[in-house]
Amino acid sequence: MTPDDARTLLLGALNPAQQSAVSAPQAHRLVLAGAGSGKTRVLTHRLAWLVAIERLSPQSVLAVTFTNKAAAEMRGRLEQLLRVPVSALWVGTFHGIAHRMLRLHYKDAGLPQNFQILDADDQLRLVKRLLKNLDLPDDQWPPRAVAGFINARKEDGQRAGNLPETADFVAHTYRRIYQAYEAQCNQNGLVDFAELLLRAYELCRDNADIQAHYRRRFRHILVDEFQDTNHLQYQWLRTLAGDTGILFAVGDDDQSIYSWRGARVEHMLQLTRELPQCDVVRLEQNYRSTATILGAANSLIARNQGRLGKELWTAGNDGELIQRFEAFTDLDEAEFVVHRIRDGMNSGRPLSHHAILYRTSAQSRVMEEALIRAGTQYRIYGGLRFFERAEIKDVLAWLRLLHNRDDDVSFERAVGAPPRGIGATSLDKLRRAAHDGGISLWQAATQATPATLGRTAKALGELIALVDQIAGKTKHETLGALTETVIRDSGLRAHFDKDRSEQGEGRRENLDELINATRGFEPLLSDDTEIDPLTAFLTHAALEAGERQSGPGEDCVQLMTLHAAKGLEFPVVFLVGLEQGLFPSQRTIDEGHLEEERRLCYVGITRAREQLYLTHSGSRRIHGVQQSCVPSQFLREIDPSFVAETRPRAGVLHAPAMRGGPQLLRGGAAVMPDAAHGLHIGMRVSHSKFGEGTVLNFDGEGPGARVEVNFKRDGAKWLMLAYAKLHPAG
């Protein structure tokens, strides 16, 4: 290939800004690549340019990505562009590059030649074993939290010996665990993911010969998703580059949404300060979304301070206005979304063109149930369906055990949820005793003695007493109250409260959503004498969990959190739950992370190619109680010229929802039936006993019609319309 042919191949399909970045002189460069602006293409073409046009050796270039998928795609594109094998190129993830380096220099890194990598599960098992050796109980020192602490310290470049001595018991104990963990890993030749990078960084920082070698070798270092680098990754890159290496960093400060796992958006600005000669190139032309969607995204993100600044635009058409819909309840919101999806499908759109994005994974439950009722295929992207999540299965196991003490499967799960010192060996003995006696595990546990099971017999006795105690105190409680009691008294709530990570918060939110599910399940069953509510709900949960989730290749609606949506795009996007305290979340508001929440909303908006729906509810069941909601401030921050409000439309009612929610024939919110005494959803009413409230929902027709009212003082209640004597509030 001639140089002219190479230039045409590498620059011909690029816009002027992309061409400028790809063909720029050999100097430090920060490429601000907006959503949908072709950053991967620019990064790949830049590397190819250095080899094909600048005539650099492939061995003198290092390219770092954040995912193996991105690295594989880059290698494939490079082979097509360069038309030669690229095996000599160092292209990979941070961890992949670090691993390659440590294999080459294992002696200098203080590692055995055959060192082994610990994956997340292996690391967790090792932590559990260490805690046991240190006589630290799992319930007080949750293994996931401990592993998270160790990984976080490593990502900050801190060894156990670097942590300060302190009189604080918790800090002292964590330091002690970290020391024991390091010693065990060194003794056994084990390296976890965080250790890979820390050890590689220390190798390059502390060994002058190796440092000099890689600085001579890697004249150019290209980095993708630079806004997601943590402290250790940034320091390693700067160490590798030194004063002679040239950094070509591609990223988007407006899409930095991972501070909770160590990412620091400040690194983009820091790079320009530390390297004053670093040029900034902006990629602002978007190839994904309509002008209307981009205009909304620009107007929102402009509220953030300290941005490096860019304005997305497109050569495409304006597209449709963004649709904003305010539902009466979260159930109504879900029905609206499902009906819009069905409308799209009836118009010829595949289900896979639709994505539902939400702030927390717990929000998926209401959406899942609406999709299941409509018979619409769906898939949880990058996660489990609601009733398949571990913490939900833990609670269901306790509920099943309360319902049937001889349920061995539920007994085995409840024994370890949360951990209570009953190990695998003791459980094996219990299984053998049950098998030999032809009895259930519960019965075998009641017969356990110190002579047969040692100290475990006491723990089993305490578990049995606890189950019986919960059963006694909840005998006359509602299903929702029973579930709340089980979550609290079993120790599950306290167990997950100890995990302050993002994952721990998600688990707690899922527990609250399960309470919502059980409280919402009650209305339909209140008059049913043939089956008790607990049996009915457990059956419902089992059937929903048993529903096959659509596979990756099937035509189905995509459901995912906003964090999981980064890097993806869809023709139609529903961004749901836009309420203050939910999105932005109250925790991020309290902790002063509002700008990152705004960036997360920006990411959600820019996932849409053609149509975008922004939805929120006037009320939502939170912690088992129906509560009024305030629209998210992000809705006010979007330029209203890009938004049209979709008003609820009256529809013909379907059969009542499982939880008594409104059902519609086609898009819009439900209205009260004719027999509803002139009431309508959203109406302010007064009751002689409960005072003033707002009509939220209704169920049934004629003499059996009921209404749900959210009272200021007593919360949400279901009332028989024939006897409620509700009056318009004055």
Side-chain angles (χ1 to χ4, degrees), residues 639-652:
D639 187 330
S641 66
F642 300 115
V643 181
E645 292 198 21
T646 300
R647 296 293 180 184
R649 299 200 309 250
V652 180

Side-chain angles (χ1 to χ4, degrees), residues 181-203:
Y181 178 85
E182 278 190 328
Q184 190 70 55
C185 287
N186 289 334
Q187 181 181 327
N188 296 342
L190 302 173
V191 177
D192 59 45
F193 288 135
E195 181 71 20
L196 280 172
L197 197 56
L198 178 56
R199 188 86 53 144
Y201 166 63
E202 291 172 340
L203 176 70

Side-chain angles (χ1 to χ4, degrees), residues 154-167:
K154 289 186 178 185
E155 288 169 359
D156 277 339
Q158 293 181 304
R159 293 289 183 189
N162 301 136
L163 300 180
E165 287 281 7
T166 175

